[in-house]
Amino acid sequence: MRGEMQVNSEHIDKWLALQSDLGRAANTVAAYSYALRDYQKFCSALNTCVNTASREHVAQYVRNLLDRCVVKMDSDGSRQGVFANATVRQRITVV
């Protein structure tokens, strides 16, 4: 599995470099990177390689995103919530 994770990281790095070469904004590439690393971590927890993940794995990832508690900062301090729909869409765009 360690070798698969290394291959996945290499593929991710190459894809991110391609996005940068295509003129994507640095913040966009950074958001893609964060989303891909998150998906990679999710797949790893399922003992699944990103390259061979099925539609079922992607569906599980979307469910995980919808159910995941996150800490959001507001003017009164931090509070728990869930990802906004825009965040979920952005995360699955790169998958």
Side-chain angles (χ1 to χ4, degrees):
M1 187 66 174
R2 177 96 172 121
E4 289 178 354
M5 291 298 291
Q6 186 176 10
V7 170
N8 288 336
S9 293
E10 290 172 10
H11 285 271
I12 289 170
D13 291 342
K14 287 179 182 179
W15 187 83
L16 292 169
L18 174 66
Q19 298 311 305
S20 182
D21 291 345
L22 290 172
R24 303 281 191 265
N27 286 345
T28 299
V29 175
Y32 286 170
S33 176
Y34 190 81
L36 282 168
R37 306 287 179 202
D38 185 61
Y39 181 63
Q40 181 183 35
K41 188 172 144 182
F42 176 82
C43 286
S44 179
L46 295 177
N47 292 321
T48 300
C49 179
V50 170
N51 299 344
T52 60
S54 67
R55 289 181 185 184
E56 185 177 312
H57 293 113
V58 174
Q60 290 174 353
Y61 179 62
V62 171
R63 174 51 48 201
N64 177 272
L65 290 173
L66 293 172
D67 292 343
R68 194 183 303 178
C69 287
V70 295
V71 176
K72 299 179 180 184
M73 300 303 287
D74 59 18
S75 59
D76 298 330
S78 65
R79 61 184 171 85
Q80 284 195 347
V82 295
F83 285 126
N85 285 335
T87 302
V88 173
R89 285 193 307 271
Q90 187 275 328
R91 294 277 179 100
I92 62 174
T93 294
V94 296
V95 173

